[in-house]
Amino acid sequence: MSLIELSEQELIRRQALEELLKLGINPYPAEKYEVNATTSEIIANYSDEKKNYQNVTIAGRIMSRRIMGTASFAELQDEKGRIQLYLNRDNICTDEDKTLYNIVFKRLIDIGDIVGVTGYIFITKMGEISVHVSNIKMLSKSLRPLPIVKEKDGQIFDAFTDPEQRYRNRSLDLIVNPHVKETFIKRTKVVNTMRDYLNSKSYIEVETPILQPLYGGAAARPFKTHHNTLDQTLYLRIANELYLKRLIIGGFDGVYEFSKDFRNEGMDRFHNPEFTQMELYVAYKDYFWMLELVEEMVEKVALNVHGSTQVTVGENIIDFKRPWKRYTMYSAIKEFTGIDISEMNEEQLKETAIKLNVNVDITMGKGKIIDEIFGVHCEPKLIQPTFIMDYPIEMSPLAKKHRSVNGLVERFEAICNGKEICNAYSELNDPIDQRNRFEEQLLLAKRGDEEAMVLDEEFLHAMEYGMPPTSGLGIGIDRLAMIITNSVSIQDVLFFPQMRPEKKLTRDDNEKYISIGVPVQWIPIIQKAGYSTIEQVKKANPNKLHQELCGLNKKHKLELQNPKIEEVKAWVEK
RNA sequence: GAUUCAGUAGCUCAGUAGGUAGAGCACAUCCCUUUUAAGGAUGGGGUCCUGGGUCCGAAUCCCAGCUGGAUCACCA
């Protein structure tokens, strides 16, 4: 990178780095720096009477500085929080040489630098617990200025809020926005709670392929890729259902996987192309049993993260306390639209959908129409956790036929805050029925349903050896994390949400500039002036370009010999 | 994909009947021994997203594009 491209503040920091080196201070030391406390534990446990924490060593990032002559205050932020530092010249520099304070601390250490300090804890006249620093050590020099976010009584000043910058530059977001870290810690707690719960039941955590020759287990469009050695098309998984069931067939009685799945579909505040699901399969169980497991597990998640079954989400308070409300799909539609669709055929359903302002098209089968009606008229109204049970058979090709009602399957979803958070079945284990259901999907695909499932011969082959009756569950971790952390967007619970690539300025190589006669040392200056390709140079007014170059030379004190106007003309005309 | 709003200093944001680009924080210099979003004073810093057009003159008006937000559609 050419120095001319840097902002003034970045240049000043690089100069500080040079000066540190000249003073024999390594701005990036290799050796470990042993801390013996964190900011939050000091603030929680320090007591003026006990006079504890009289020899602490902590490390972190300098977040603010207030220099008052020979005494200074700074704020140090570590993983757990912030604490004020008090630095006094003569405490840091016990002999005649005051360089460490006057030069190193006051001039060469910037906001954003990572330092280690040793000292004792005391309380200032203003009543703030602070570290009286006796030793300060540079651990890592920061070359870019941080956005300065200040806070007083919960009011935030100059918050760093631009979503694009926050998502693209998550490290910075985490540094200056402490609540962001909290969200991700909660997300991890959600996952850990579920994992502990499942492990306590002795289910086995497994891993299954992400690259799959056939994609299956859900209705969605996949990402497609290619394996060179095999010369074969592979898909990124849209679900892991079929592989997990093959493990059940193989004799594991309880398996689960936290899995990244990939769907090549729209992106918005509820959808990211890659997302996380937890899928669980347990042999010799049915969907009633699974429903109670979900209630218990999610209630535990809320309790572990919030210490309560109640979670504030937007304007609602959602209560995960068991038992949750239950509807069948038909009874839910009846409740919210007043229409009983349970006996209708496809024609009647279509008419009903149109009457209810639900979009239907030619590709939709009976199940899909019902799903649409439910999606429009019921789902958004279900704020408290609610189970919807017994789905039409057409939209559930992997679920077992209902034990008592024709045309339905044993399936439930849990809806919360107007969104699906999980999906579960009594799994279909009749290989002949399974083959028929796949064939019905093929017919849907022929009608134009892009999400219809593909027939998976290997899966059927495995099932033909005999699969125990099994209940299966998929639970959307991102969606659950959004609710638990009160986040409005999935991007707020993913560290690095998918973004469009930033458009890079196209810039010609040095060779091209040299080919029109530009001396190497002038190339970055021409680019700085805005001529990033020789195409642009050729279009330039040579007088203007000449003036701009001389101006930049002077302004940045580059001390280059200015080119003659004839030379600049020659570049432009070449 | 559609509609709509936005893009100005490192950060948060003002600004315009078209007429020399502003503030706070940050940064620099000087002063200052316990300050509390902010100690005092002075100062430097800009491709006003990009490219066209209108105009004597565009950050401002028009057109196109890029990026992002919001809403809607598909999907978990």
Side-chain angles (χ1 to χ4, degrees):
Chain A
M1 186 187 290
S2 162
L3 288 181
I4 198 170
E5 292 169 41
L6 299 173
S7 69
E8 183 192 28
Q9 292 194 38
E10 288 173 294
L11 287 170
I12 287 165
R13 282 167 183 247
R14 275 162 207 251
Q15 283 161 14
L17 182 89
E18 293 299 320
E19 286 187 53
L20 285 169
L21 287 168
K22 277 185 205 149
L23 288 169
I25 295 168
N26 181 355
Y28 303 104
E31 67 276 11
K32 70 178 176 182
Y33 188 84
E34 200 105 30
V35 300
N36 63 15
T38 63
T39 55
S40 63
E41 67 162 289
I42 291 168
I43 286 170
N45 299 327
Y46 175 73
S47 137
D48 226 6
E49 293 83 59
K50 285 194 211 148
K51 282 271 174 273
N52 47 357
Y53 293 110
Q54 293 306 289
N55 184 14
V56 297
T57 300
I58 58 176
R61 202 180 287 277
I62 300 285
M63 298 305 286
S64 72
R65 285 191 312 166
R66 296 182 288 279
I67 297 173
M68 330 267 298
T70 56
S72 293
F73 294 89
E75 260 186 308
L76 182 127
Q77 173 171 287
D78 69 3
E79 188 192 358
K80 305 293 184 187
R82 289 187 184 188
I83 196 164
Q84 177 168 271
L85 308 180
Y86 171 76
L87 296 97
N88 183 296
R89 185 187 66 197
D90 299 325
N91 284 103
I92 293 178
C93 308
T94 44
D95 56 11
E96 286 307 298
D97 180 10
K98 305 300 181 191
T99 307
L100 182 61
Y101 182 79
N102 284 338
I103 305 296
V104 177
F105 176 73
K106 278 168 70 174
R107 289 201 32 236
L108 305 181
I109 291 181
D110 290 299
I111 290 175
D113 289 358
I114 295 172
V115 299
V117 296
T118 298
Y120 65 86
I121 306 300
F122 75 113
I123 296 182
T124 65
K125 282 182 192 163
M126 299 302 291
E128 178 141 349
I129 297 175
S130 308
V131 186
H132 198 289
V133 176
S134 55
N135 197 288
I136 180 163
K137 182 177 184 189
M138 170 63 77
L139 298 176
S140 182
K141 180 77 193 149
S142 165
L143 297 181
R144 287 179 188 271
L146 292 177
I148 306 297
V149 180
K150 294 184 176 176
E151 181 259 327
K152 163 84 169 172
D153 301 332
Q155 196 187 348
I156 310 280
F157 297 83
D158 300 332
F160 177 69
T161 53
D162 177 41
E164 178 177 6
Q165 290 198 69
R166 287 186 46 227
Y167 302 145
R168 284 196 199 277
N169 197 349
R170 186 66 92 178
S171 306
L172 178 59
D173 187 29
L174 288 162
I175 291 168
V176 303
N177 291 328
H179 63 276
V180 175
K181 203 187 267 170
E182 283 306 308
T183 297
F184 286 98
I185 291 170
K186 282 179 189 159
R187 181 185 168 120
T188 298
K189 267 191 192 168
V190 168
V191 171
N192 286 347
T193 304
M194 290 172 65
R195 183 172 276 127
D196 288 347
Y197 175 83
L198 297 168
N199 286 345
S200 76
K201 308 217 168 219
S202 302
Y203 304 142
I204 311 288
E205 183 168 11
V206 297
E207 293 178 274
T208 62
I210 292 171
L211 285 173
Q212 305 182 347
L214 285 178
Y215 57 96
R221 283 178 290 169
F223 284 92
K224 199 173 172 181
T225 186
H226 184 263
H227 190 282
N228 291 338
T229 306
L230 297 174
D231 189 21
Q232 181 191 7
T233 297
L234 290 172
Y235 300 93
L236 272 65
R237 71 177 164 207
I238 57 171
N240 36 3
E241 172 149 4
L242 304 188
Y243 284 95
L244 291 174
K245 283 183 189 170
R246 282 159 73 175
L247 298 180
I248 294 287
I249 293 165
F252 287 102
D253 283 350
V255 289
Y256 72 92
E257 179 172 11
F258 284 91
S259 55
K260 270 282 176 74
D261 291 344
F262 305 84
R263 298 190 184 175
N264 205 341
E265 290 165 346
M267 287 166 59
D268 58 28
R269 70 191 179 95
F270 291 103
H271 300 87
N272 193 66
E274 57 182 284
F275 66 104
T276 306
Q277 272 202 97
M278 193 283 292
E279 290 195 34
L280 165 71
Y281 293 83
V282 184
Y284 311 111
K285 306 295 184 193
D286 64 7
Y287 76 142
F288 289 113
W289 176 89
M290 186 62 87
L291 185 148
E292 286 179 13
L293 179 141
V294 169
E295 275 180 337
E296 188 181 3
M297 181 167 65
V298 176
E299 186 191 63
K300 263 194 166 53
V301 165
L303 281 167
N304 262 12
V305 178
H306 290 288
S308 159
T309 58
Q310 297 191 347
V311 180
T312 304
V313 181
E315 293 173 353
N316 301 310
I317 292 173
I318 291 178
D319 195 344
F320 289 100
K321 191 170 174 52
R322 292 178 283 168
W324 302 351
K325 200 161 191 177
R326 297 180 195 186
Y327 284 108
T328 65
M329 177 150 258
Y330 289 151
S331 69
I333 289 173
K334 194 171 174 193
E335 166 107 11
F336 289 100
T337 68
I339 299 172
D340 183 358
I341 61 163
S342 59
E343 303 295 326
M344 289 184 182
N345 62 27
E346 191 169 320
E347 248 341 281
Q348 294 168 306
L349 278 170
K350 251 185 198 156
E351 284 166 26
T352 308
I354 291 161
K355 205 165 74 188
L356 289 168
N357 287 323
V358 173
N359 289 328
V360 284
D361 66 59
I362 184 95
T363 69
M364 286 180 170
K366 196 173 159 184
K368 196 124 189 183
I369 299 172
I370 295 173
D371 192 37
E372 282 297 309
I373 296 174
F374 177 78
V376 172
H377 288 280
C378 307
E379 202 173 41
K381 292 172 189 156
L382 296 169
I383 300 302
Q384 295 304 321
T386 305
F387 288 113
I388 303 297
M389 307 182 68
D390 300 343
Y391 281 61
I393 191 165
E394 294 86 350
M395 53 194 281
S396 315
L398 302 167
K400 195 173 232 175
K401 280 179 182 155
H402 197 278
R403 63 193 73 182
S404 56
V405 186
N406 247 338
L408 297 182
V409 289
E410 298 201 350
R411 168 179 178 182
F412 71 82
E413 290 189 357
I415 314 285
C416 181
N417 206 34
K419 283 280 166 187
E420 171 190 344
I421 57 169
C422 83
N423 184 12
Y425 317 138
S426 299
E427 300 293 339
L428 177 52
N429 65 341
D430 173 346
I432 293 170
D433 190 6
Q434 182 69 76
R435 185 175 291 277
N436 291 339
R437 302 272 204 97
F438 275 138
E439 279 164 0
E440 284 160 19
Q441 288 290 306
L442 295 180
L443 289 178
L444 284 178
K446 275 190 189 152
R447 282 170 70 166
D449 186 344
E450 287 186 64
E451 295 168 355
M453 286 187 198
V454 263
L455 189 145
D456 187 335
E457 203 58 65
E458 284 179 39
F459 172 61
L460 285 170
H461 182 108
M463 192 184 279
E464 284 166 9
Y465 291 113
M467 172 171 149
T470 298
S471 186
L473 165 73
I475 179 160
I477 299 299
D478 311 289
R479 291 280 174 83
L480 183 60
M482 283 170 69
I483 292 169
I484 295 289
T485 62
N486 190 12
S487 298
V488 293
S489 163
I490 196 168
Q491 294 168 311
D492 291 327
V493 297
L494 298 170
F495 275 126
F496 302 102
Q498 194 59 240
M499 304 285 280
R500 278 202 174 75
E502 269 185 290
K503 206 186 152 200
K504 285 258 163 55
L505 202 65
T506 53
R507 175 175 284 184
D508 279 344
D509 295 338
N510 283 6
E511 285 74 45
K512 285 205 166 172
Y513 284 91
I514 291 165
S515 76
I516 59 166
V518 178
V520 167
Q521 66 271 24
W522 283 97
I523 294 170
I525 300 147
I526 291 177
Q527 291 178 335
K528 168 83 175 176
Y531 304 86
S532 53
T533 63
I534 60 167
E535 211 47 44
Q536 289 170 302
V537 174
K538 283 171 189 296
K539 276 194 258 173
N541 173 343
N543 294 318
K544 186 176 175 220
L545 176 57
H546 181 251
Q547 283 187 3
E548 284 174 329
L549 296 183
C550 297
L552 283 168
N553 186 24
K554 188 175 170 194
K555 180 175 162 191
H556 291 277
K557 302 191 178 85
L558 300 172
E559 290 170 14
L560 296 168
Q561 170 129 35
N562 282 333
K564 294 203 176 73
I565 180 72
E566 293 77 31
E567 295 174 73
V568 176
K569 253 182 200 153
W571 307 338
V572 171
E573 283 159 13
K574 185 143 183 177

